[in-house]
Amino acid sequence: MGGVSPHLEDLPLRDDLRGMTPYGAPQAPLPVALNVNENTHPVPQEVADDIMDSIALALRDVNRYPDREFTDLREGFADYLGHGLTREQIWAANGSNEVLQHVLQAFAGPGRTAFGFAPTYSMYPLLARATGAEWIAGTRGADYTVDASDAAAQVADAAPDVVFLCAPNNPTGTPLGLDVIEAVYDAAPGVVVVDEAYFEFAPRDERSALTLLPGRERLVVSRTMSKAFAFAGARVGYLAADPAFVDALRLVRLPYHLSALTQAAASAALRHASTMLRMVDEIVSQRDRISATVEALGYTPHESWTNFVLFGGVADPAATWQALYDRGVLIRDVGIPQHLRVTAGTEDETTAFLDALASVGSNA
Ligand SMILES: *Cc1c(COP(=O)(O)O)cnc(C)c1O
């Protein structure tokens, strides 16, 4: 439910945390939940069985601390990512949020700054401020695009210690060209994080920022198993970077931060990557169906390379959000005026959303 306790202000809280609000996407038990960009297709049964067997095996040794270096899992991510990556270049944690937190703990912190092009992922400023760093919001061009020379100029001007490039961007769905990443890297004095949480939903022939890693030791590419991999509840995110960068993250992580059960579950899921990812094409077709249908209803969907659609032309987002809620459909008001964001669900969930939106009626 979120909300800050009325007594919080009476505690000897850090000054820089006063007045902050925790992350609080509503977790309501509605029949159709399309608000936090999960993969709404369950893990296929044959994969679930193998994950269960792997967890059962790991449980036999659960009296011992897990492999602190999660070697097998890093090997699995290196194999999955390809591009000649080796396990020394891989890091992982409990969700990519924790991966990003490790980056900020090592490279941001008090007296330092982190930067992103707003509107972007709402967790970046929260994670940055929690390490004591200051958040700097850059700007986007028309339709939320970012252009290489403008981006480089903004970054050169702000000279941040950490830059976040969300590619494609949440909450807008906007693709980001590799030319922008190269230009920002050259202009940035510090670390550049390319967050590819939604990369698997981009067109198949698109190049990943992973191809830019060689020779760029301040560049990192983060990914997550929460979206395409249908593994949000397991909490597993990861990144690829130079081995020296990975060593920096070891300075700030808690020892044994990835439990033996998490490691076992994630390694098993990775062995079935193609099965885990088989719903991606179906989700992409539901996403495109959402874009086409909301446009036909008179709204303005933005281009999306993700598993969600941000659409504008919503006269009263709070009222439309509530009307959908009352019809059993949960979507997201991301705070952009006249906009709402919806995750592509299964065909039935997507139909339920589109029917509900149509029944809400005129957006005038
Ligand atoms: C969902 C999301 C993540 C993933 O977070 P996890 O902690 O791995 O669940 C990361 N970045 C962006 C932009 C996201 O939308």
Side-chain angles (χ1 to χ4, degrees):
M1 297 315 265
V4 177
S5 150
H7 305 298
L8 185 52
E9 64 216 35
D10 302 330
L11 291 173
L13 186 67
R14 271 165 42 188
D15 288 339
D16 60 327
L17 294 182
R18 287 185 186 277
M20 280 177 63
T21 338
Y23 176 85
Q27 284 197 301
L30 292 197
V32 181
L34 302 175
N35 65 327
V36 286
N37 301 341
E38 294 149 335
N39 184 334
T40 67
H41 298 264
V43 172
Q45 190 58 48
E46 67 264 38
V47 183
D49 290 344
D50 197 26
I51 292 172
M52 285 290 279
D53 290 347
S54 297
I55 291 177
L57 211 57
L59 267 175
R60 292 192 197 162
D61 292 321
V62 87
N63 56 311
R64 302 287 184 182
Y65 283 113
D67 174 10
R68 198 169 49 219
E69 296 304 329
F70 45 102
T71 316
D72 289 346
L73 182 57
R74 283 159 72 211
E75 195 89 53
F77 282 128
D79 282 352
Y80 170 67
L81 290 176
H83 297 286
L85 291 165
T86 61
R87 66 167 188 248
E88 292 74 26
Q89 294 170 274
I90 304 293
W91 188 248
N94 298 284
S96 62
N97 272 271
E98 191 182 46
V99 170
L100 301 178
Q101 182 178 53
H102 287 163
V103 172
L104 288 161
Q105 286 175 322
F107 295 96
R112 292 192 164 206
T113 57
F115 177 102
F117 294 98
T120 191
Y121 187 39
S122 62
M123 281 307 300
Y124 300 151
L126 290 176
L127 290 166
R129 289 189 186 122
T131 73
E134 186 193 333
W135 174 253
I136 303 173
T139 58
R140 289 172 179 268
D143 202 20
Y144 306 118
T145 54
V146 176
D147 148 277
S149 63
D150 177 46
Q154 290 189 52
V155 167
D157 189 42
D161 297 286
V162 177
V163 178
F164 288 104
L165 297 174
C166 193
N169 188 50
N170 182 10
T172 61
T174 322
L176 186 81
L178 293 189
D179 60 321
V180 181
I181 298 168
E182 290 179 274
V184 165
Y185 184 85
D186 290 341
V191 165
V192 176
V193 181
V194 182
D195 183 347
E196 290 191 342
Y198 298 96
F199 182 78
E200 286 91 348
F201 300 102
R204 276 293 151 78
D205 49 356
E206 280 308 314
R207 269 173 66 203
S208 162
L210 292 168
T211 60
L212 299 178
L213 285 176
R216 292 185 177 86
E217 68 287 345
R218 293 174 291 113
L219 183 68
V220 308
V221 181
S222 71
R223 296 272 187 102
T224 178
M225 294 184 82
S226 294
K227 309 292 161 60
F229 259 94
F231 225 44
R235 311 303 301 124
V236 188
Y238 54 105
L239 64 67
D242 191 87
F245 192 102
V246 170
D247 283 340
L249 304 178
R250 286 199 177 83
L251 299 173
V252 296
R253 64 96 179 272
L254 296 173
Y256 318 109
H257 69 289
L258 271 180
S259 86
L261 307 185
T262 302
Q263 292 184 41
S267 289
L270 275 175
R271 289 197 295 272
H272 299 274
S274 58
T275 311
M276 293 290 280
L277 292 169
R278 78 180 169 203
M279 297 321 291
V280 164
D281 289 341
E282 163 64 11
I283 294 165
V284 164
S285 73
Q286 296 307 321
R287 173 198 74 198
D288 292 343
R289 183 177 156 229
I290 291 173
S291 298
T293 310
V294 300
E295 184 158 26
L297 290 172
Y299 299 96
T300 47
H302 295 274
E303 180 182 21
S304 173
W305 280 14
T306 63
N307 67 341
F308 59 84
V309 176
L310 179 76
F311 56 99
V314 188
D316 185 347
T320 301
W321 183 90
Q322 187 63 50
L324 292 170
Y325 187 102
D326 295 342
R327 288 162 173 77
V329 179
L330 184 61
I331 69 166
R332 190 84 178 270
D333 183 347
V334 291
I336 300 177
Q338 308 209 315
H339 283 73
L340 288 169
R341 190 193 71 187
V342 62
T343 308
T346 62
E347 183 173 5
D348 287 350
E349 290 165 334
T350 303
T351 301
F353 159 71
L354 292 170
D355 289 352
L357 186 67
S359 79
V360 168
S362 161
N363 60 339

